Amino acid sequence: MTLRERGTGDPAPRELAADLVVDATGRASRTPQWLAALGGTPPAEEILETGRAYASCLFDGDAPPRGLRGFYIVPEATAPLGAIVMPVEDGRWTVTLSGPRDLAPPNDPGAFVEFAHRLPHPAPHTWLSTAHPAGRPVGYRHTANRRRRYDRLGRDHGGLLVVGDAACALNPVYGQGLSVAALTALALSRALAAPRTPTAHTLQRAALRAAAPAWDVATGADSPMPGATGNAVRTGPTARLLTRYLDRVRAHVPGDPVVCTANRDVLFLLAPPRTLLTSPRVLRRTLLGTPVPTPRDLPTP
């Protein structure tokens, strides 16, 4: 392994011998380029790009009344703007607004609040109109889903383990990154606790399996988005049928606590995605029930 000290004024590289190299450098990982430069094989990549953008800002404001804990509007193909409003520490609230890249949330606090007026439900904008920004919104544009298949490189790369966003980067608007990191850490811990010391290839496969449910959720939600591109976009009759069913699931979320709980658990990685298809209660309510929309007059300060 070749290293160059940062900030020392000495650009000379030095060699460091290592039995195992772990790459946890995130989306900007250069391991594929380094492997190619060494004459190796870079991993195959699965990509789904929707061109989405988001911005986040902290606000000081009163909690919504009647026990409401925040607002969550999940973007979908027919309503591509999304919002997450939730409490954090010191009585503040974090607000994230998202949209297509040609309709990106602005970084000016006033324009940020006004942008919320375009959301499919008025409650977040009504609440934001009574709150005060604690700083400027910060925007982000790199939201592609990208999975690098290091698990397919075989045992020739036995001294390399790639984890986190360096291996599987998800669309951040779904808020799954930290959960996937925790699930990956648990999976690696279990693998390392086995009686026999696992190979790096075994650990790489464990990391991939830990991130797979989140990958399925993010790519499943992003595939129907307008302008979605990449080799991971789901197409064909089966994908279209599944999209129609999941559209019905989302339509029942506002007014059906059973469907809402099941959908929430899948989105937050508390349950595998297949539970939306295998639960008799969810199937019956989704296919036979009548959706009840979210009331337009939700209580806000």
Side-chain angles (χ1 to χ4, degrees), residues 183-275:
L183 291 171
T184 301
L186 288 173
L188 295 179
S189 177
R190 287 192 292 266
L192 290 168
R196 297 181 60 182
T197 301
T199 65
H201 181 67
T202 298
L203 295 175
Q204 192 69 69
R205 294 179 64 186
L208 176 83
R209 288 194 298 270
W215 173 262
D216 291 341
V217 170
T219 56
D222 279 351
S223 286
M225 289 291 181
T229 60
N231 59 2
V233 175
R234 302 181 189 180
T235 59
T238 300
R240 288 193 294 269
L241 182 62
L242 181 59
T243 295
R244 289 179 61 187
Y245 174 75
L246 293 177
D247 285 343
R248 289 187 62 88
V249 168
R250 285 189 286 269
H252 282 76
V253 164
D256 190 318
V258 172
V259 178
C260 180
T261 299
N263 186 72
R264 178 205 63 193
D265 288 350
V266 168
L267 190 62
F268 295 165
L269 307 181
L270 299 174
R274 65 175 180 273
T275 56

Side-chain angles (χ1 to χ4, degrees), residues 85-170:
V85 180
M86 63 176 59
V88 289
E89 63 276 356
D90 300 328
R92 288 182 168 176
W93 295 70
T94 180
V95 180
T96 298
L97 304 179
S98 64
R101 199 159 294 169
D102 58 355
L103 193 59
N107 293 337
D108 174 76
F112 182 87
V113 172
E114 186 57 30
F115 180 90
H117 187 64
R118 304 185 181 193
L119 292 167
H121 197 284
H125 179 258
T126 302
W127 182 86
L128 280 170
S129 299
T130 69
H132 304 282
R136 292 185 62 85
V138 177
Y140 194 73
R141 303 293 184 267
H142 303 290
T143 59
N145 301 283
R146 183 187 303 270
R147 183 162 65 172
R148 297 184 171 108
R149 299 306 300 265
Y150 289 99
D151 59 301
R152 294 178 177 173
L153 293 182
R155 303 182 186 280
D156 294 339
H157 299 76
L160 175 67
L161 174 62
V162 185
V163 297
D165 281 3
C168 182
L170 304 162

Side-chain angles (χ1 to χ4, degrees), residues 169-182:
L170 304 162
N171 188 337
V173 302
Y174 301 114
Q176 298 171 321
L178 289 178
S179 297
V180 170

